[in-house]
Amino acid sequence: MAFTLSFLSLFAIALVLLMPLLLIFITLIMALGQIVARLEQWPRFDGVYWACITATTVGYGDIKPQRKLSRILAILIALLGILFTGIILAAAINCVGTAFELHIAPKAG
């Protein structure tokens, strides 16, 4: 249990430190989603929904951009989403390693 609490504590600190960067990515993804929504003449919420689905690479396909510029922006949104996810995963992996060193490694020696 101490390992889990250490990980969660370290991960929370990492997320707080990374929050400005993560907010930039979220803002860019949402802004690009609104640009695509305007280009495709979708409602605003559909732009937000589509940008989130595209950024997480789920891609249901229920809403698809038809214009060339919109599709280029979709690629950019997907790349930003992959970077966003990668940053969070990298922080989590780092925190697991640090928690491991705090709790497991000293007992082995």
Side-chain angles (χ1 to χ4, degrees), residues 4 6 17-18 20 28 32-35 37 48 50 63 81 89 103 109:
T4 302
S6 292
L17 293 173
L18 289 169
L28 285 172
L32 290 170
Q34 290 304 301
I35 291 169
V48 170
W50 174 81
I63 301 175
L89 287 174
H103 293 281

Side-chain angles (χ1 to χ4, degrees), residues 2-73:
F3 175 82
T4 302
L5 292 176
S6 292
F7 165 74
L8 291 174
S9 174
L10 290 166
F11 189 55
I13 292 168
L15 288 179
V16 168
L17 293 173
L18 289 169
M19 195 56 61
L21 181 61
L22 296 175
L23 287 174
I24 288 170
F25 279 111
I26 291 170
T27 302
L28 285 172
I29 290 167
M30 291 298 110
L32 290 170
Q34 290 304 301
I35 291 169
V36 171
R38 180 167 281 205
L39 288 171
E40 298 292 328
Q41 298 177 349
W42 297 338
R44 285 185 182 188
F45 181 77
D46 283 355
V48 170
Y49 164 79
W50 174 81
C52 291
I53 296 303
T54 302
T56 58
T57 68
V58 172
Y60 291 125
D62 54 345
I63 301 175
K64 294 184 274 187
Q66 301 301 315
R67 291 183 164 77
K68 189 176 194 177
L69 179 58
S70 298
R71 291 178 179 190
I72 292 169
L73 293 176

Side-chain angles (χ1 to χ4, degrees), residues 10 89-99:
L10 290 166
L89 287 174
I93 291 167
N94 187 359
C95 292
V96 166
T98 303

